[in-house]
Amino acid sequence: MAELGNVRRVYLTTAASGGTYTWLTGEQTNSFNRTSEAIEVSDKSTIWQQFIAGKRGATASVTVFIDDTNEQQQKVLKALHGGTTVYCFIGKVTTNSSSTTPSAGDLFEAIVTSISDTNDNGAVASRAIELTVTGEPTHYPTLK
Amino acid sequence: MADVYTSASTELFKWVVSTLTRQGVNVGGTAAYPRAEVSTLTENGPSDKDNSVRSSALVLESISDRSLGEAYDINATNLALLQDADDTLDNYRIVGVVEGTISTMEDMGEASLVLYRVINNLTIYVSEI
């Protein structure tokens, strides 16, 4: 069923599974990109090219309004400065009184590869964050 | 986190009118001159997923029945007042006020009265508290 991008948000969490999911405050847009190499294994048996899947990877992009006092944005900056990873979830969560759990989306560990601040005259200051996923992202609901 | 978008227009309109109110200039809906008016206030949709930050296009008119100079003076005072005002509303915070274009107009009012208008287009950025 189709839904707006507004409900699929970026959350930072504290571990590869479980943990506390906190929205990356000021988020405007996000995107999540999965890729796979295609390794050519063509031979003379057919005129058509043949491939097998090679290395897989994923990247994510998020744009937020700059808030340097926000704990989540500070975590991202610290990860880039320190060369450490962050755990992120992009998608929808279910919140009840005791916890927040992912319901649809992708949970992953990532290196922060770029943080670009744009401070234009007459516009709200914004920050574009690029992440490169390390390892396999976990999809919710589980892939059948 | 706000999942439902609520308009800031009412609070913003009240903030602008109360900020511009001062002696010697009529602000709001009277017919007397000199006058400062909120001609239009148009709120655009939210620009973040929390429905918090939004921009509003505000058109302020400064009107004098004496001279263009007086109208310009009223406009300059309007901007100074908006700049110095407390940026906290009941449920919102003024993130910034950006001045856009200014245009002037001479206008024939009732009974051949000439009115001088300075029309200032501003953009106000607001976020939910």
Side-chain angles (χ1 to χ4, degrees):
Chain A
M1 194 170 66
E3 54 193 9
L4 291 181
N6 305 47
V7 302
R8 297 181 65 93
R9 303 183 184 189
V10 175
Y11 300 85
L12 293 195
T13 181
T14 45
S17 62
T20 312
Y21 293 82
T22 312
W23 181 54
L24 187 52
T25 307
E27 181 206 336
Q28 295 172 273
T29 63
N30 74 64
S31 63
F32 186 67
N33 318 289
R34 307 165 193 81
T35 55
S36 172
E37 276 180 346
I39 301 172
E40 189 168 4
V41 292
S42 303
D43 61 22
K44 294 180 182 178
S45 65
T46 167
I47 197 72
W48 296 99
Q49 285 177 303
Q50 294 157 287
F51 296 91
I52 57 171
K55 288 277 186 197
R56 273 137 268 188
T59 57
S61 306
V62 191
T63 309
V64 296
F65 285 128
I66 294 178
D67 181 357
D68 283 324
T69 62
N70 173 254
E71 202 182 307
Q72 308 313 313
Q73 290 195 30
Q74 286 223 340
K75 245 194 220 178
V76 175
L77 286 159
K78 205 170 164 192
L80 183 133
H81 282 239
T84 53
T85 57
V86 289
Y87 291 99
C88 295
F89 174 74
I90 296 182
K92 290 199 303 185
V93 296
T94 309
T95 306
N96 59 37
S97 54
S98 55
S99 63
T100 301
T101 49
S103 62
D106 294 273
L107 174 63
F108 54 89
E109 186 181 1
I111 304 280
V112 182
T113 49
S114 151
I115 303 177
S116 309
D117 291 357
T118 302
N119 304 303
D120 280 346
N121 184 39
V124 183
S126 65
R127 172 168 282 158
I129 301 165
E130 304 289 327
L131 304 157
T132 299
V133 176
T134 177
E136 182 181 1
T138 305
H139 190 74
Y140 289 82
T142 310
L143 296 171
K144 299 184 181 97
Chain B
M1 185 183 304
D3 286 325
V4 174
Y5 176 76
T6 50
S7 171
S9 291
T10 311
E11 283 189 40
L12 196 50
F13 180 83
K14 284 183 191 167
W15 177 79
V16 172
V17 169
S18 63
T19 301
L20 298 185
T21 299
R22 72 272 196 181
Q23 271 201 328
V25 173
N26 293 288
V27 178
T30 71
Y33 301 101
R35 196 152 98 224
E37 261 181 21
V38 174
S39 170
T40 62
L41 178 63
T42 308
E43 184 166 316
N44 301 310
S47 47
D48 70 316
K49 292 184 180 184
D50 197 29
N51 297 325
S52 171
V53 179
R54 74 289 299 276
S55 65
S56 292
L58 171 69
V59 180
L60 280 183
E61 286 198 28
S62 306
I63 311 168
S64 165
D65 59 350
R66 289 199 291 193
S67 70
L68 193 53
E70 185 181 48
Y72 264 118
D73 214 35
I74 296 167
N75 183 63
T77 307
N78 288 345
L79 294 175
L81 288 170
L82 287 175
Q83 209 168 17
D84 290 340
D86 180 7
D87 64 3
T88 309
L89 281 53
D90 288 341
N91 297 295
Y92 301 91
R93 183 180 66 86
I94 307 290
V95 173
V97 179
V98 179
E99 194 182 349
T101 56
I102 298 185
S103 51
T104 60
M105 221 162 88
E106 280 186 28
D107 198 350
M108 293 293 279
E110 325 74 46
S112 306
L113 176 68
V114 178
L115 298 176
Y116 303 90
R117 292 177 190 266
V118 170
I119 303 161
N120 203 341
N121 291 288
L122 304 167
T123 304
I124 301 186
Y125 292 94
V126 158
S127 73
E128 265 188 345
I129 294 175

